[in-house]
């Protein structure tokens, strides 16, 4: 069964600090991996998308990495801001119409 | 472009009542999805559509029906609402199932 596991479930950091969120998946075959940001009360918004051949992709202060051999991805947030407080969801697409969603990591940034 | 819109934004139903949630997209996307999101459960797929006139079951389809009569609209129906259907419902669309999904703002439904 295709699965996406995210860790930690929740994280609290101080403004200005860096943090890394983890995503492990068992989806096969693999097409791409996406990270979404979901602000409270809103729908998810895509941050990055990576295919099999890409191992790093940045979007401003967000940097995603992918190790397709170990089936792991991470999302690194640099110099966190209060607006980074959100849920971050890892999504993996494979050979079917239905992508596999992780349950998300809830990040809280304190001033 | 409005993107993906959902109607209504909030709704309170009594057990046994019925309602329809409307999702509309103006991006000419083929694929559309309905999810529910509950605390600690993440997004779970209810039904999806791969094109006008098609629908298919997702992970948690029981108690819901859908229709895709027009390419731009995807309707989610609850025939007899139950308290277990209290949730936030998100619609999403994409031009290709391997591409990113664009989500609507959500509908918060409470069944008492």
């Amino acid at each position: 069964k295709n699965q996406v596991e995210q860790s930690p479930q929740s994280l609290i950091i101080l403004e200005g600090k860096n943090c890394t969120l983890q995503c492990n998946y068992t989806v096969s075959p693999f097409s791409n991996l996406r990270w979404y940001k979901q602000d409270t009360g809103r729908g998810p918004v895509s941050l990055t998308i990576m295919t099999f051949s890409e191992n790093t992709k940045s979007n401003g202060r967000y940097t995603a990495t992918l190790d397709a051999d170990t089936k792991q991805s991470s999302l690194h947030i640099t110099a966190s801001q209060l607006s980074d407080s959100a849920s971050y969801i890892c999504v993996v697409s494979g050979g079917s119409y239905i992508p596999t969603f992780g349950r998300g990591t809830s990040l809280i940034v304190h001033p | 472009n409005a993107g993906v819109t959902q109607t209504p934004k909030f709704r309170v139903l009594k057990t046994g009542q019925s309602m329809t949630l409307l999702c509309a997209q103006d991006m000419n996307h083929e694929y559309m999805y309905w999810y529910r999101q509950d605390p600690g459960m993440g997004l779970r797929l209810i039904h999806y559509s791969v094109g006008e006139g098609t629908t298919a079951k997702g992970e948690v389809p029981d108690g819901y029906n859908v229709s895709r009569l027009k390419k731009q609209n995807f309707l989610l129906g609850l025939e007899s609402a139950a308290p277990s259907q209290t949730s936030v419902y998100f619609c999403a669309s994409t031009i290709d199932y391997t591409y990113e999904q664009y989500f609507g703002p959500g509908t918060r439904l409470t069944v008492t």
Side-chain angles (χ1 to χ4, degrees), chain A residues 31-32 34 36 38 41-44 46 49 89 93-99 101-103, chain B residues 31 33 35 37 40-43 45 48 50 57-58 90 97-101 103-105:
Chain A
S31 177
N32 60 60
R34 287 159 278 167
Y36 285 83
Q38 184 177 21
R42 293 180 176 270
S46 179
I49 179 169
I89 304 170
S93 287
S96 80
Y97 298 125
I98 305 173
F101 283 71
R103 295 190 176 188
Chain B
Y31 300 83
Y33 303 80
Y35 297 92
Q37 187 172 42
M41 296 297 295
L43 286 156
L45 181 65
Y48 65 100
V50 301
K57 294 180 180 180
F90 288 99
Y97 67 90
T98 63
Y99 285 31
E100 73 171 283
Q101 294 186 5
F103 285 82

Side-chain angles (χ1 to χ4, degrees), chain B residues 41-86:
Chain B
M41 296 297 295
L43 286 156
R44 293 184 291 170
L45 181 65
I46 304 171
H47 285 281
Y48 65 100
S49 169
V50 301
E52 181 179 311
T54 76
T55 62
K57 294 180 180 180
E59 179 186 358
V60 289
D62 293 343
Y64 305 95
N65 56 74
V66 288
S67 64
R68 183 102 181 266
L69 298 179
K70 294 183 179 181
K71 187 177 184 178
Q72 64 267 33
N73 295 337
F74 195 27
L75 278 63
L76 177 70
L78 286 73
E79 290 188 348
S80 180
S84 61
Q85 294 177 304
T86 293

Side-chain angles (χ1 to χ4, degrees), chain A residues 41-75:
Chain A
R42 293 180 176 270
V45 175
S46 179
L47 287 175
T48 64
I49 179 169
M50 289 185 291
T51 60
F52 186 87
S53 59
E54 298 172 301
N55 54 24
T56 302
K57 184 165 280 189
S58 293
N59 178 357
R61 294 178 298 100
Y62 301 100
T63 299
T65 65
L66 174 65
D67 185 334
D69 291 332
T70 62
K71 299 187 177 182
Q72 296 179 325
S73 176
S74 65
L75 181 69

Side-chain angles (χ1 to χ4, degrees), chain B residues 4-11 19-25 34 73-78 89-91 104-109:
Chain B
V4 179
T5 59
Q6 292 183 231
T7 309
K9 289 184 170 52
F10 303 93
R11 186 72 186 268
M19 77 164 294
T20 300
L21 283 66
L22 170 64
C23 175
Q25 52 93 6
W34 274 108
N73 295 337
F74 195 27
L75 278 63
L76 177 70
L78 286 73
Y89 293 85
F90 288 99
C91 174
T107 294
R108 186 173 296 274
L109 175 67

